[in-house]
Every structure is written in C-alpha cells, then in structure tokens.
Amino acid sequence: MITVDIRRRLGAFALDVVFEADQETVVLFGHSGSGKSVTLASMAGLIRPDAGSIAIAGRTVFDAARGIDLPPQQRNVGYLVQQIALFPHLTAAENIGYSLTGWDREARARRVSELSVLLSIDGFEDRMPHQLSGGQQQRVALARALARPVDALLLDEPFSALDEALRGDLRAELLRLRSELAIPVVFVTHDLREAYLLADRIAVLDEGRVLQFASREDVFRRPSSRRVAELTGVRNLFEGETDASGRVVVAGVRFCVDAEVAPHASVDLSIRSERCVLRRLHHADPLPANCFVADIVSDLAFGNSHMLTFAPLGPGPAVEVEVASRPYEVLGVAAQQRWVIELPPADLHIMTR
Amino acid sequence: MAQRSEAIPAVRGRSELSLNRLFVAPAILFAAFVAVPLLALAARAAQEGDIFERLTSPFVLHALRLSMLTSTLSLLLALLLGVPTAYLLARNRFPGYRFVTLLVELPMVLPPTVAGVALLVAFGRRGIFGGWLSDISLELPFTTAAVVLAQLFVSAPFLVRSLQAGFESVDVTYERVSATLGASSLRTFWSVTLPLARPTLISGAVLCWTRALSELGATLIFAGNFEMRTQTMPLAIITAFESSAGLSGAIVLSVILLAVASVLLVLMRVALKRGALPEAV
C-alpha cells in the first residue's frame, strides 16, 4: 500500500499530487512536464517535496510536518529509469546482485540466477552491459531493481528508449510479473496504449495536478473533465445543453444518454472515436434515436484501422469515427460517402462544465 | 550500442589529405626536437665507463631513495586530501566556488620558487606559523617533511583537476540508482563513482607523482639542499652539475630519472588501457 500526498513549488511550476496504490499497478499518465517523473523521484527519495507525506507499505518515508525524510537507500523501493543506467563497470550478474549486500555468496548467486531465469536473461550473466542488447539491458535493470525484497516498484518510462517490438515484449513480461510480485507498482508513461494496457488505475496528471484518479475503464470511458478527455485521446468533444427531459442537445440533435443529468444545464459531451457506429443510409426509414446523417470528408488509413472525419449533412456535430480495417472493407466504406452515424447512449459521456 | 564514431562516416576528402601533407613537417620537427636530446643523454650515459659504480654510490642511492619516499608520500597525501576536494568541486556549486577553483589552479601556473618562498613565509622559523610550530617543537623547514609539503603544494592540483573532470563526467543517474538500491553514500562513492572515474584517477595520480618527483624550486627554497635529508634527485643533479664531476655526474642521475619516468608512463598507458571503460550505456 502506497499513499502519496505531496506539494512542491519549482519556479512557476507547482506540483500537487494525491493518489494511492494497493497491490496493483497505478499508471501516472501525462505529457512531459506534467509532474509525473518528479512525483516518482519524490517517492524514491531523490527529490524533496515542500509539503505533504508519502507512506510505503505502512511506513512513513516522508512527512514534511513531522520532519521525516528518509534517504533513498532506506526507502526500500525498486526504481527503474528510462536511461536504464546499468553500472558499466560491472557484469550483468554483478549489476543484478548490487543491492544484495550482507547476503552470503551462495544466497546471492541463487537470487541472481533466480531473477535471470524469471526475466529470461540467463546465459548473459557474465556479459558487460555494453555487450547486451537494449532489451536485455532493460531486463537486467528490472532484475536489479527487484533483487532485494522491495515494498514497491517505481518505473519511470522504462521502455521508451526501446523499439516498438521490444517494448511489447517487456510490457507482456511486466504484466506476467505483476501477479508474482504482489507489491504496488507505480508506472509513469506518456503512452496512452501502454497506460491502458498496464494500469489497474490511472492518475491523469496535467500541469502538476491529478485531474482524475480512477480505474482505467473510467478514465477512458468516463473522463472527469474536458481536459482529461483531450489528454486521453478522445477526439469527439461537443458542447451541449440538457433539455427538460434529460436529453442533451448538440448542434440541433437530441441525444439520449444513460446518465442522469440536471435539466437546462451546459454540459460537455464526449465519445471515443472507436465507439461511434456507422449505419447504412436507407432513405425510406425515419432516423432512429441518437442518429444523424453525415458525409465522409477525410479518410486516413493507419493500416489496422481508418480514421474517418464526418461533416453533418443537416443537424448534428462533426465527428471522427475509427473503423477497424476488416469492418471497413466488409461495410464497403470506401465506396459510400454518405452514412448514418449513431452515438450509442451507453458510450456518450457527460461532463458538467 | 554503436560506437559514437560511426555516426559520421570517415571520408578521406581532399582537404584532409592536403592538410596532412601540410602539417607533417612541423610534427616531424617537433618529434625530433624532443627525441634528439633524450637520445643524446642515453648515448652519453652509455659512454661513461664506470656507470654502474656511480649508480650505486651512496650519493646517488640516498637521493634516489629520498625522491621515491617523498614523492610517494606526497601522492598519498594528495589522494587523501585531493579526492574529497575534487568530488566536492565536481558535484556542488557553493559560495566561493570560483575562489576555491582559483586556489586549486594557482600552484599549477605559479613558478615553483614562488611556492617555496610562500611556504617559507608561512611555515618557516620566522614565518607566520613558525613560532606556533616551534612551540609544539615541530620544525618544518629543511627537513624531509618540508620536501613532502613542497611537493604536495605544487603537485596535488594536478590530481585534483584531473579527478574533478573525471567525477564531473560520471552521470549522477548512476549514483541515484545506486542509492535507490540501498547503497550508502560512501558505498556508492566507492563502488560506482570512483571506479567510473578510474581513468582520470590513474592519469591524475601519475601526473601528480611525476610532478612531485621532478620538484626542484619549491624544495630548494623551503627544504634546502642537504644530502640524505632534503636532497632529492633533481637537487642531486644540480649539485653534481656544479661540483667537480660536472656534466658527467649530472648525466648519470638524469638517465635514472628518465628511465623512471618512461617506465611510469608506459605503466600508466597499460593501466588505462586495461581499466578502460566501455561506452556508458
């Protein structure tokens, strides 16, 4: 269990971060400069916050009011950085065993080989860091961070220096490790897909503040504010008004939503581009609820999916719709310019302004 | 990891070739200028008939022993005081930083004789601390200790400067990572920072030691020229040169120092090559 509640001023930048982590992976997600790395470094004891407190595994490691500030070597956390930073003058095995001071030679060797097997770096133990590939280096660094029993694992964009394929492997590795570790993991990233893949809960950071701290599902589907929606890659954000019956009027179309909303309020309405539904246009039928007609104005192919931009024909907002390649072909999207777009009530999310 | 040099492919362009042709003559001239006197010295020493007899004369042996003893002691003292100083200067910016840097650099540009005078004024019998020192019955001038102090004064800055640059080149990320792995500050310094700065430690120590070995001016003024007590090899060379033996006496001593310096230089190269670190990862 980790609890973090810290504040720090640095010139114009003010950090004010509150979150917690059980035996789970919490992702600190945000752009560079949002304060996520500073938060992690504060937890590791490399940066001193001005105020607040940090507790790791029931132990207060920092408390400004009580004058507690344990140095990094007493915080008992594994800390992995983007630069990897293997000690270049030590072999892989010596790097892994670096924290095992006070262990006898045999126990240390056993622990090192245990970790080598766990992270599939066995066979490379005697190599120097520069003789290892980038992926192997990061595995050794991870093994080094986990060698002694730690109360938490802190990962600061650990895979961002690696190429895409390796990153995928290591993410899968971390997912597998997570259940074996049974300690809180705090993972810093600016990569949206990575955040979703690894997180149980996500803390969205922006300009030093936590805008939303919730399950990954909530953060992705139910952002707490327009800014969170923007940061988490929501492409469709509309301004609207609620009517007397709790529907939301956007650009002349009344949309039903699942949530209870106050009548006659100004709200933001959001929907992720992959949650929008395309329907064929049948001129004879009246339009079903939450539907409007729109024309494709641009079609960007990303290989595994298409990003379609629609302009409304009559009433309705302009929307971006992501369609996976297979349905794109089956539906014959390329051959047809005019479509009915449905924004399902369950996928429409309302944010009060 | 790719070598950095691979980033720019080596292209043997015309300009590079013509520059080589232009620069080769001065380079040869310079090499010859250094080589000729050294070869002449070796050749002349070989002509001296009784060279082994003279090498083992008490006069030479005493000077040699004293030189080895004092220069090694001053290197040890320089390490003891210089390593922490270099680390502090490399990792911190504090009020008076530029002043301390100036203090460290001054002895390197100061004529050694000036250093000798300054030491005498401070620690001499009639110096500022002279009275206080003699109160605790410690008399420095014209003792072997004075030789060590004179050598330390002029040679330690070479170690500090070299090592400071070395510490500065060690990425603090390594130290931070070491701390998060539970290592105490002292262990981090001992098993990460110092090994990573090893090349500069070796070259700095060799520079320091050889500078101490060749020290003459400050020693002559502060410690004097007394056989068996303060007469180091450079002083012995001067003494021999001015005595009836003249040049031939100086030649033998010079050849010894030349040999010692050459061996040291080779050893340093070997140590640096063996201790060379791969590109940081």
Side-chain angles (χ1 to χ4, degrees), chain B residues 244-263:
Chain B
S244 55
L247 189 58
S248 71
I251 283 169
V252 178
L253 291 159
S254 301
V255 156
I256 297 172
L257 271 191
L258 177 63
V260 170
S262 309
V263 168

PDB file of all heavy atoms in Angstrom, chain B residues 244-263:
ATOM      1  N   SER B 244      82.801  19.201  -8.954  1.00  0.00           N
ATOM      2  CA  SER B 244      83.933  18.921  -9.834  1.00  0.00           C
ATOM      3  C   SER B 244      83.581  17.875 -10.883  1.00  0.00           C
ATOM      4  O   SER B 244      84.116  17.867 -11.987  1.00  0.00           O
ATOM      5  CB  SER B 244      85.112  18.406  -8.997  1.00  0.00           C
ATOM      6  OG  SER B 244      84.691  17.299  -8.240  1.00  0.00           O
ATOM      7  N   ALA B 245      82.612  16.998 -10.549  1.00  0.00           N
ATOM      8  CA  ALA B 245      82.228  15.965 -11.502  1.00  0.00           C
ATOM      9  C   ALA B 245      81.580  16.572 -12.745  1.00  0.00           C
ATOM     10  O   ALA B 245      81.673  16.041 -13.841  1.00  0.00           O
ATOM     11  CB  ALA B 245      81.276  14.978 -10.838  1.00  0.00           C
ATOM     12  N   GLY B 246      80.886  17.729 -12.527  1.00  0.00           N
ATOM     13  CA  GLY B 246      80.315  18.464 -13.656  1.00  0.00           C
ATOM     14  C   GLY B 246      79.260  17.676 -14.398  1.00  0.00           C
ATOM     15  O   GLY B 246      78.475  16.918 -13.803  1.00  0.00           O
ATOM     16  N   LEU B 247      79.261  17.855 -15.709  1.00  0.00           N
ATOM     17  CA  LEU B 247      78.216  17.292 -16.548  1.00  0.00           C
ATOM     18  C   LEU B 247      78.092  15.784 -16.408  1.00  0.00           C
ATOM     19  O   LEU B 247      76.988  15.245 -16.349  1.00  0.00           O
ATOM     20  CB  LEU B 247      78.499  17.666 -18.015  1.00  0.00           C
ATOM     21  CG  LEU B 247      77.379  17.341 -19.013  1.00  0.00           C
ATOM     22  CD1 LEU B 247      76.084  18.023 -18.623  1.00  0.00           C
ATOM     23  CD2 LEU B 247      77.809  17.760 -20.412  1.00  0.00           C
ATOM     24  N   SER B 248      79.235  15.101 -16.334  1.00  0.00           N
ATOM     25  CA  SER B 248      79.166  13.637 -16.331  1.00  0.00           C
ATOM     26  C   SER B 248      78.436  13.123 -15.094  1.00  0.00           C
ATOM     27  O   SER B 248      77.755  12.107 -15.146  1.00  0.00           O
ATOM     28  CB  SER B 248      80.557  13.024 -16.441  1.00  0.00           C
ATOM     29  OG  SER B 248      81.252  13.222 -15.229  1.00  0.00           O
ATOM     30  N   GLY B 249      78.541  13.837 -13.962  1.00  0.00           N
ATOM     31  CA  GLY B 249      77.796  13.438 -12.771  1.00  0.00           C
ATOM     32  C   GLY B 249      76.305  13.621 -12.949  1.00  0.00           C
ATOM     33  O   GLY B 249      75.509  12.783 -12.532  1.00  0.00           O
ATOM     34  N   ALA B 250      75.968  14.730 -13.581  1.00  0.00           N
ATOM     35  CA  ALA B 250      74.547  15.012 -13.801  1.00  0.00           C
ATOM     36  C   ALA B 250      73.926  14.018 -14.759  1.00  0.00           C
ATOM     37  O   ALA B 250      72.749  13.660 -14.624  1.00  0.00           O
ATOM     38  CB  ALA B 250      74.382  16.439 -14.323  1.00  0.00           C
ATOM     39  N   ILE B 251      74.725  13.566 -15.719  1.00  0.00           N
ATOM     40  CA  ILE B 251      74.196  12.659 -16.744  1.00  0.00           C
ATOM     41  C   ILE B 251      73.669  11.371 -16.141  1.00  0.00           C
ATOM     42  O   ILE B 251      72.549  10.930 -16.444  1.00  0.00           O
ATOM     43  CB  ILE B 251      75.280  12.352 -17.800  1.00  0.00           C
ATOM     44  CG1 ILE B 251      75.414  13.555 -18.743  1.00  0.00           C
ATOM     45  CG2 ILE B 251      74.936  11.101 -18.590  1.00  0.00           C
ATOM     46  CD1 ILE B 251      76.606  13.475 -19.640  1.00  0.00           C
ATOM     47  N   VAL B 252      74.438  10.782 -15.243  1.00  0.00           N
ATOM     48  CA  VAL B 252      74.030   9.511 -14.646  1.00  0.00           C
ATOM     49  C   VAL B 252      72.689   9.653 -13.934  1.00  0.00           C
ATOM     50  O   VAL B 252      71.770   8.853 -14.117  1.00  0.00           O
ATOM     51  CB  VAL B 252      75.100   9.022 -13.654  1.00  0.00           C
ATOM     52  CG1 VAL B 252      74.656   7.725 -13.005  1.00  0.00           C
ATOM     53  CG2 VAL B 252      76.424   8.843 -14.365  1.00  0.00           C
ATOM     54  N   LEU B 253      72.593  10.711 -13.109  1.00  0.00           N
ATOM     55  CA  LEU B 253      71.362  10.939 -12.363  1.00  0.00           C
ATOM     56  C   LEU B 253      70.184  11.192 -13.307  1.00  0.00           C
ATOM     57  O   LEU B 253      69.073  10.710 -13.092  1.00  0.00           O
ATOM     58  CB  LEU B 253      71.549  12.132 -11.419  1.00  0.00           C
ATOM     59  CG  LEU B 253      72.509  11.872 -10.251  1.00  0.00           C
ATOM     60  CD1 LEU B 253      73.038  13.181  -9.698  1.00  0.00           C
ATOM     61  CD2 LEU B 253      71.803  11.076  -9.170  1.00  0.00           C
ATOM     62  N   SER B 254      70.457  11.958 -14.354  1.00  0.00           N
ATOM     63  CA  SER B 254      69.382  12.282 -15.296  1.00  0.00           C
ATOM     64  C   SER B 254      68.855  11.043 -15.977  1.00  0.00           C
ATOM     65  O   SER B 254      67.642  10.886 -16.181  1.00  0.00           O
ATOM     66  CB  SER B 254      69.896  13.265 -16.352  1.00  0.00           C
ATOM     67  OG  SER B 254      70.351  14.431 -15.743  1.00  0.00           O
ATOM     68  N   VAL B 255      69.762  10.141 -16.324  1.00  0.00           N
ATOM     69  CA  VAL B 255      69.353   8.917 -17.003  1.00  0.00           C
ATOM     70  C   VAL B 255      68.438   8.082 -16.106  1.00  0.00           C
ATOM     71  O   VAL B 255      67.462   7.487 -16.561  1.00  0.00           O
ATOM     72  CB  VAL B 255      70.597   8.115 -17.440  1.00  0.00           C
ATOM     73  CG1 VAL B 255      70.265   6.640 -17.604  1.00  0.00           C
ATOM     74  CG2 VAL B 255      71.114   8.655 -18.748  1.00  0.00           C
ATOM     75  N   ILE B 256      68.752   8.072 -14.807  1.00  0.00           N
ATOM     76  CA  ILE B 256      67.902   7.320 -13.883  1.00  0.00           C
ATOM     77  C   ILE B 256      66.484   7.893 -13.888  1.00  0.00           C
ATOM     78  O   ILE B 256      65.494   7.169 -14.023  1.00  0.00           O
ATOM     79  CB  ILE B 256      68.484   7.360 -12.454  1.00  0.00           C
ATOM     80  CG1 ILE B 256      69.844   6.670 -12.429  1.00  0.00           C
ATOM     81  CG2 ILE B 256      67.533   6.687 -11.471  1.00  0.00           C
ATOM     82  CD1 ILE B 256      70.567   6.844 -11.112  1.00  0.00           C
ATOM     83  N   LEU B 257      66.401   9.208 -13.762  1.00  0.00           N
ATOM     84  CA  LEU B 257      65.076   9.836 -13.738  1.00  0.00           C
ATOM     85  C   LEU B 257      64.342   9.614 -15.050  1.00  0.00           C
ATOM     86  O   LEU B 257      63.119   9.397 -15.077  1.00  0.00           O
ATOM     87  CB  LEU B 257      65.194  11.333 -13.455  1.00  0.00           C
ATOM     88  CG  LEU B 257      65.188  11.741 -11.987  1.00  0.00           C
ATOM     89  CD1 LEU B 257      65.051  13.250 -11.862  1.00  0.00           C
ATOM     90  CD2 LEU B 257      64.068  11.051 -11.222  1.00  0.00           C
ATOM     91  N   LEU B 258      65.090   9.682 -16.157  1.00  0.00           N
ATOM     92  CA  LEU B 258      64.487   9.444 -17.465  1.00  0.00           C
ATOM     93  C   LEU B 258      63.884   8.039 -17.524  1.00  0.00           C
ATOM     94  O   LEU B 258      62.758   7.841 -17.993  1.00  0.00           O
ATOM     95  CB  LEU B 258      65.531   9.620 -18.574  1.00  0.00           C
ATOM     96  CG  LEU B 258      65.067   9.325 -20.008  1.00  0.00           C
ATOM     97  CD1 LEU B 258      63.963  10.289 -20.416  1.00  0.00           C
ATOM     98  CD2 LEU B 258      66.235   9.425 -20.991  1.00  0.00           C
ATOM     99  N   ALA B 259      64.649   7.073 -17.020  1.00  0.00           N
ATOM    100  CA  ALA B 259      64.183   5.685 -17.034  1.00  0.00           C
ATOM    101  C   ALA B 259      62.929   5.527 -16.175  1.00  0.00           C
ATOM    102  O   ALA B 259      61.936   4.927 -16.599  1.00  0.00           O
ATOM    103  CB  ALA B 259      65.284   4.751 -16.540  1.00  0.00           C
ATOM    104  N   VAL B 260      62.987   6.108 -14.969  1.00  0.00           N
ATOM    105  CA  VAL B 260      61.831   6.012 -14.069  1.00  0.00           C
ATOM    106  C   VAL B 260      60.594   6.622 -14.714  1.00  0.00           C
ATOM    107  O   VAL B 260      59.505   6.026 -14.715  1.00  0.00           O
ATOM    108  CB  VAL B 260      62.137   6.712 -12.719  1.00  0.00           C
ATOM    109  CG1 VAL B 260      60.870   6.838 -11.886  1.00  0.00           C
ATOM    110  CG2 VAL B 260      63.201   5.943 -11.960  1.00  0.00           C
ATOM    111  N   ALA B 261      60.768   7.807 -15.307  1.00  0.00           N
ATOM    112  CA  ALA B 261      59.627   8.488 -15.917  1.00  0.00           C
ATOM    113  C   ALA B 261      59.060   7.677 -17.082  1.00  0.00           C
ATOM    114  O   ALA B 261      57.847   7.564 -17.244  1.00  0.00           O
ATOM    115  CB  ALA B 261      60.043   9.882 -16.390  1.00  0.00           C
ATOM    116  N   SER B 262      59.962   7.084 -17.889  1.00  0.00           N
ATOM    117  CA  SER B 262      59.500   6.298 -19.037  1.00  0.00           C
ATOM    118  C   SER B 262      58.709   5.084 -18.591  1.00  0.00           C
ATOM    119  O   SER B 262      57.623   4.800 -19.125  1.00  0.00           O
ATOM    120  CB  SER B 262      60.693   5.833 -19.876  1.00  0.00           C
ATOM    121  OG  SER B 262      61.518   6.925 -20.178  1.00  0.00           O
ATOM    122  N   VAL B 263      59.245   4.390 -17.589  1.00  0.00           N
ATOM    123  CA  VAL B 263      58.566   3.201 -17.082  1.00  0.00           C
ATOM    124  C   VAL B 263      57.170   3.576 -16.568  1.00  0.00           C
ATOM    125  O   VAL B 263      56.168   2.917 -16.859  1.00  0.00           O
ATOM    126  CB  VAL B 263      59.394   2.526 -15.965  1.00  0.00           C
ATOM    127  CG1 VAL B 263      58.558   1.479 -15.229  1.00  0.00           C
ATOM    128  CG2 VAL B 263      60.644   1.892 -16.560  1.00  0.00           C
TER     129      VAL B 263
END
